[in-house]
Amino acid sequence: MVRLVQKFGGTSVADIDRIRTAAGRVADAVAAGNEVAVVVSAMAGTTDRLVEWTREIAPVHDAREYDVVVSSGEQATVGLMALALQAAGVDARSWLGWQVPILTDDVHGRARIGEIDPDELLRRMAQGQVPVVAGFQGLSAARRITTLGRGGSDTSAVALAAALGADRCDIFTDVDGIYTTDPRIVAKARKLEKVTFEEMLEMASQGARVLQTRSVELAMNHGVELQVLSSFVDAPGTFVVNEDEDVEQQVVSGIAYTRDEAKITIVGVPDRPGIAAGIFGPLAETSINVDLIVQNVSADGQQTDITFTVAQADYDRALGMIEAARDKIGFSRVEGDPEVVKISVIGIGMRSHAGVAQKMFNALAEKGINIQVISTSEIKVSVLLAEEYTELALRALHTAYGLDDGENA
Amino acid sequence: MVRLVQKFGGTSVADIDRIRTAAGRVADAVAAGNEVAVVVSAMAGTTDRLVEWTREIAPVHDAREYDVVVSSGEQATVGLMALALQAAGVDARSWLGWQVPILTDDVHGRARIGEIDPDELLRRMAQGQVPVVAGFQGLSAARRITTLGRGGSDTSAVALAAALGADRCDIFTDVDGIYTTDPRIVAKARKLEKVTFEEMLEMASQGARVLQTRSVELAMNHGVELQVLSSFVDAPGTFVVNEDEDVEQQVVSGIAYTRDEAKITIVGVPDRPGIAAGIFGPLAETSINVDLIVQNVSADGQQTDITFTVAQADYDRALGMIEAARDKIGFSRVEGDPEVVKISVIGIGMRSHAGVAQKMFNALAEKGINIQVISTSEIKVSVLLAEEYTELALRALHTAYGLDDGENA
């Protein structure tokens, strides 16, 4: 007997037929003798519509009421899924966030899960009942409904799996696993059998967008094994595991990219303490997320250049704020380019292998692609390129690292 | 200062513009110095869609999960209404059934409201906050969501008004009041300024369909004054009041009809004790609602005929059950007609006026309309006619009782 949490995303419960298909997967897992708990998202498109309605009423609004509105989508799907399971002969009942309860802090719209008391669910699971738990939602100490932010149902599923002491958390979605890179761009992209939490974290935050980043962190911290798989294809997906379980230990397991980056360079910044804080403090205060930051040592000890990236949506606002602070910071000029792509080569094996970055630089140089900015961490190398090179660079790197389908990585 | 409950039905919150309009009405009432609580239905069409989904999964299903699904519509509208009120400068917050809580029994799908503790809502209303309460839903002792049956938001509003000790409950809908009869059929139909609870009850159950019957009963029992009015027109509607407040005391205040009736006559039934119970018991057990029952005295003391009506949807099933019980009951034959209309003349003044029924019979006779069955109660006279006479009969009766617009009733 294995204890499983099965999570179905919006496309997997997009209509009644798909809910039936998903229920069939749960029924199979139950018939195989497993204890199963289910977590569901809202039907695809529902949350977008609800969010749009709240914006139509007022662009800025009470996040507590926003949460009441947007959490209604999951309420419909838990009931429908419970009915579909019952119709498939499985004992099931729905659980809303406030019924479990899934306690969270009171940061409405992006709440964090605190405690989940698993006793009642475990008792029922032991009797053969499948709890169908609403993803994305929780309950604050003030007994208001909270939501966890977009993609939050992944986090609900992992948190529930941790609380239940589940052996695995299966994330059913519309892709059949994690790929070495985007298969829409690189035809030879390969589905990974296993990937480590650390790699997955880098991939998720680098734009792979299969799993909410926080859910991966949570799984890593609680040692919850994840599987990402398709609800439409009956085949194993990609397992996200601890480093010590990944026997392959690939040097590079994947190449992620994000086009949603804009680059800003501040030229001639005085090289003295507190300057970086003076630049990035105001950006943070207005909720502009800064991704990559590069500052080189100053050649003359007087002045340096600082380059950073922000989401394209924040580009104009960030530029304006930097310009406005020109006198205070005292730089010579600011340059920007919204048309860049960030490409990252990711692999846990990098830690023990030299030459990974060099291979990247060579591969790009061979194609005549200029690298604008380089940033590295323990398990990834990221570069900023002109956006037009995205496809060319991805294919070249995929081949250079031996990731193409048919080759052994 | 007046304490008000304002209830907005599905058509009044059908889209964001209408929610804004409804919020404007609440804001006006607040600005006029009233304490206001709001009850909302789901956006028009939402509940139908949710119900249809549950049926698609399984024609017969767990009513507890049905309630989880269908109650999600009101959850979206309470949040949206609270946001719209805030945008209009009104302090407001949403309340779901389980948050108030609105406690009900556990008859899922058609639960009855038990207790509502008003203290927290009253405290906030005294501070100027408008509670926006989800209609149609409550909480069972087992902490599951319950729903009150179609049209149940009216009942939520009245129950809340009773619990809050409100001076009035305004039911905003897509019609501007209660009419003497259906204005789509009788052009001269007149909006009533006042109608008594008893008359409204007869009208509601006779097919006026403006208010859920149970909400009127509840209002009568708790002395909650109701007003039915349009959310689109800024004008008073119809007040539903206690008999002693209705100074007009019309002999006939309205004429209701329902086409959804089918007539069944059992001919040659032995005239002995227990026969009626033997006929109607099995129908009741299979949830076939019998409306009108007429049994005449038997001419010979041996045999009699019994006529009754059922909803058209139950007609075939009821006929079959009666036929199946032929040997047990021992009647000679059964006749039926699904194409009948029931027309009812309703008025509290009938109690003290003779000749009301006679006027009806004369008016129908003058038009050559044959009366199939007659049934009377204290404040109404109902007749069954062939359905094709519906319009002719309604217009003739409307004129005969002096209800036509421009005349003084």
Side-chain angles (χ1 to χ4, degrees):
Chain A
M1 195 275 295
V2 164
R3 190 176 296 155
L4 279 183
V5 171
Q6 298 189 309
K7 182 258 170 180
F8 296 91
T11 51
S12 303
V13 293
D15 56 38
I16 299 301
D17 275 346
R18 289 193 177 176
I19 290 175
R20 273 206 201 92
T21 303
R25 300 223 161 240
V26 178
D28 289 348
V30 170
N34 301 302
E35 278 187 6
V36 184
V38 173
V39 173
V40 289
S41 299
M43 294 163 100
T46 299
T47 307
D48 286 339
R49 193 177 63 238
L50 294 168
V51 169
E52 175 54 30
W53 280 339
T54 65
R55 293 208 178 122
E56 264 185 63
I57 288 178
V60 178
H61 47 240
D62 185 345
R64 294 167 298 188
E65 300 302 344
Y66 168 94
D67 279 355
V68 170
V69 175
V70 300
S71 62
S72 66
E74 281 74 16
Q75 177 163 332
T77 38
V78 285
L80 292 169
M81 177 61 84
L83 289 173
L85 284 168
Q86 291 174 359
V90 175
D91 182 16
R93 91 151 253 198
S94 63
W95 292 86
L96 298 165
W98 60 269
Q99 287 174 321
V100 176
I102 296 176
L103 298 175
T104 71
D105 61 21
D106 62 356
V107 184
H108 285 271
R110 48 191 175 89
R112 294 185 88 95
I113 295 176
E115 211 174 316
I116 302 177
D117 179 349
D119 292 350
E120 180 63 16
L121 298 187
L122 285 173
R123 192 181 65 76
R124 289 164 180 261
M125 288 168 75
Q127 292 171 355
Q129 191 177 74
V130 173
V132 182
V133 180
F136 183 55
Q137 61 180 243
L139 184 70
S140 74
R143 295 181 51 73
R144 301 292 306 260
I145 294 178
T146 53
T147 66
L148 311 180
R150 295 311 294 267
S153 291
D154 291 338
T155 302
S156 304
V158 171
L160 187 66
L164 295 173
D167 298 283
R168 199 174 69 236
C169 179
D170 284 345
I171 308 283
F172 288 90
T173 178
D174 52 358
V175 298
D176 60 353
I178 310 294
Y179 277 72
T180 47
T181 194
D182 188 341
R184 290 169 304 182
I185 293 182
V186 181
K188 291 176 177 170
R190 208 158 43 79
K191 190 175 81 181
L192 291 161
E193 207 175 302
K194 283 188 180 180
V195 66
T196 66
F197 289 121
E198 292 86 345
E199 289 168 335
M200 190 63 219
L201 269 181
E202 293 291 353
M203 289 189 193
S205 56
Q206 301 296 325
R209 284 162 213 271
V210 178
L211 284 172
Q212 200 197 28
T213 306
R214 211 187 318 156
S215 72
V216 182
E217 285 170 9
L218 202 62
M220 183 164 68
N221 292 340
H222 290 85
V224 175
E225 185 175 308
L226 293 177
Q227 183 185 189
V228 174
L229 71 173
S230 165
S231 59
F232 311 124
V233 184
D234 193 11
T238 299
F239 289 83
V240 189
V241 298
N242 269 321
E243 193 176 335
D244 51 15
E245 289 175 47
D246 185 8
V247 288
E248 295 185 49
Q249 291 274 354
Q250 292 143 313
V251 177
V252 166
S253 31
I255 303 173
Y257 72 100
T258 168
R259 297 182 202 256
D260 178 36
E261 302 258 336
K263 180 184 72 170
I264 295 175
T265 301
I266 312 179
V267 179
V269 182
D271 190 12
R272 57 179 159 78
I275 275 296
I279 293 171
F280 296 113
L283 295 177
E285 277 161 27
T286 52
S287 291
I288 295 179
N289 252 325
V290 173
D291 177 20
L292 197 151
I293 300 175
V294 179
Q295 178 188 335
N296 220 328
V297 291
S298 71
D300 56 3
Q302 301 292 318
Q303 290 195 320
T304 184
D305 304 338
I306 293 180
T307 295
F308 61 93
T309 60
V310 295
Q312 276 179 9
D314 293 331
Y315 177 63
D316 289 337
R317 206 151 54 98
L319 264 189
M321 291 185 68
I322 298 297
E323 279 291 3
R326 177 192 288 263
D327 290 346
K328 205 168 153 211
I329 305 171
F331 57 82
S332 20
R333 67 178 195 281
V334 60
E335 294 170 352
D337 182 359
E339 305 205 324
V340 294
V341 63
K342 183 174 68 178
I343 294 188
S344 304
V345 164
I346 297 155
I348 202 104
M350 274 186 211
R351 288 181 190 149
S352 49
H353 280 74
V356 174
Q358 189 54 39
K359 188 177 276 189
M360 185 177 201
F361 307 151
N362 286 341
L364 295 174
E366 271 172 30
K367 299 292 179 188
I369 301 171
N370 185 42
I371 300 174
Q372 301 181 358
V373 171
I374 300 169
S375 166
T376 67
S377 76
E378 208 183 7
I379 66 163
K380 78 160 191 231
V381 183
S382 298
V383 294
L384 280 192
L385 311 174
E387 195 186 340
E388 59 189 332
Y389 292 113
T390 308
E391 291 81 3
L392 182 66
L394 278 179
R395 290 185 198 116
L397 292 170
H398 202 263
T399 304
Y401 287 105
L403 294 172
D404 290 353
D405 200 12
E407 296 186 46
N408 207 349
Chain B
M1 196 273 297
V2 165
R3 190 177 294 155
L4 279 184
V5 171
Q6 298 189 309
K7 183 259 173 180
F8 295 92
T11 53
S12 303
V13 293
D15 56 38
I16 300 300
D17 275 345
R18 290 192 177 178
I19 290 174
R20 274 206 201 93
T21 303
R25 299 220 162 244
V26 178
D28 289 348
V30 170
N34 301 303
E35 277 187 8
V36 184
V38 173
V39 173
V40 289
S41 299
M43 294 164 99
T46 299
T47 306
D48 287 339
R49 192 177 65 238
L50 294 168
V51 168
E52 175 55 30
W53 281 340
T54 65
R55 295 212 176 118
E56 263 185 63
I57 289 178
V60 178
H61 47 241
D62 185 346
R64 294 167 298 189
E65 300 302 344
Y66 167 93
D67 279 354
V68 170
V69 175
V70 300
S71 62
S72 66
E74 281 73 16
Q75 177 163 331
T77 38
V78 285
L80 293 169
M81 178 59 86
L83 289 174
L85 284 168
Q86 292 174 358
V90 176
D91 182 17
R93 88 151 257 196
S94 64
W95 292 86
L96 297 165
W98 59 270
Q99 287 175 321
V100 176
I102 294 175
L103 297 175
T104 72
D105 61 22
D106 62 356
V107 185
H108 284 272
R110 49 191 173 89
R112 294 185 87 96
I113 294 177
E115 211 175 316
I116 302 177
D117 180 348
D119 292 349
E120 181 65 15
L121 298 187
L122 285 173
R123 193 181 65 75
R124 289 163 180 260
M125 288 168 75
Q127 293 170 354
Q129 190 177 73
V130 172
V132 181
V133 180
F136 184 56
Q137 62 180 244
L139 184 70
S140 74
R143 294 183 51 73
R144 301 292 305 260
I145 294 178
T146 54
T147 66
L148 311 180
R150 294 313 291 269
S153 290
D154 290 339
T155 302
S156 304
V158 171
L160 187 66
L164 294 173
D167 298 283
R168 199 174 68 235
C169 180
D170 283 345
I171 308 282
F172 287 90
T173 177
D174 52 357
V175 297
D176 60 353
I178 309 295
Y179 277 72
T180 48
T181 194
D182 188 341
R184 290 169 303 181
I185 293 183
V186 181
K188 291 176 177 168
R190 207 158 44 79
K191 190 174 82 183
L192 291 162
E193 205 175 304
K194 283 188 179 178
V195 65
T196 66
F197 289 121
E198 292 87 345
E199 289 168 335
M200 190 62 221
L201 269 179
E202 292 291 354
M203 290 189 193
S205 56
Q206 300 296 326
R209 282 162 216 270
V210 177
L211 284 172
Q212 200 196 29
T213 306
R214 211 185 320 154
S215 71
V216 182
E217 285 170 9
L218 202 62
M220 184 164 68
N221 292 340
H222 289 86
V224 175
E225 185 175 309
L226 292 177
Q227 184 186 189
V228 174
L229 70 172
S230 165
S231 58
F232 310 124
V233 183
D234 192 11
T238 299
F239 288 84
V240 190
V241 298
N242 269 321
E243 195 177 334
D244 50 17
E245 289 175 47
D246 185 8
V247 289
E248 295 186 49
Q249 291 275 353
Q250 293 143 313
V251 176
V252 167
S253 34
I255 303 173
Y257 71 101
T258 168
R259 297 182 203 256
D260 178 37
E261 301 259 336
K263 180 184 71 171
I264 295 175
T265 300
I266 312 180
V267 180
V269 181
D271 190 13
R272 56 178 159 78
I275 275 297
I279 293 171
F280 297 112
L283 294 178
E285 277 161 28
T286 52
S287 290
I288 294 179
N289 253 326
V290 173
D291 177 19
L292 198 151
I293 299 176
V294 180
Q295 179 188 335
N296 219 329
V297 291
S298 72
D300 56 2
Q302 303 291 317
Q303 290 196 321
T304 184
D305 303 338
I306 292 180
T307 296
F308 61 93
T309 59
V310 296
Q312 277 181 6
D314 293 330
Y315 177 64
D316 289 337
R317 205 151 55 97
L319 265 189
M321 291 185 68
I322 298 296
E323 278 292 3
R326 177 193 289 264
D327 290 347
K328 204 169 154 211
I329 304 171
F331 56 82
S332 16
R333 69 179 193 281
V334 60
E335 293 170 355
D337 182 357
E339 304 207 321
V340 294
V341 63
K342 183 175 68 177
I343 294 188
S344 305
V345 166
I346 296 154
I348 202 105
M350 274 186 212
R351 288 180 190 150
S352 49
H353 280 74
V356 174
Q358 189 53 38
K359 187 177 277 189
M360 184 177 202
F361 306 152
N362 286 341
L364 295 174
E366 271 171 29
K367 300 291 177 187
I369 302 171
N370 185 41
I371 299 173
Q372 301 182 356
V373 170
I374 300 169
S375 165
T376 67
S377 77
E378 209 183 6
I379 65 162
K380 79 161 189 226
V381 183
S382 298
V383 294
L384 280 192
L385 312 174
E387 195 185 340
E388 58 189 334
Y389 292 114
T390 308
E391 292 82 2
L392 182 65
L394 277 179
R395 289 185 199 120
L397 293 170
H398 202 263
T399 303
Y401 286 104
L403 294 173
D404 289 352
D405 199 13
E407 295 188 45
N408 208 347

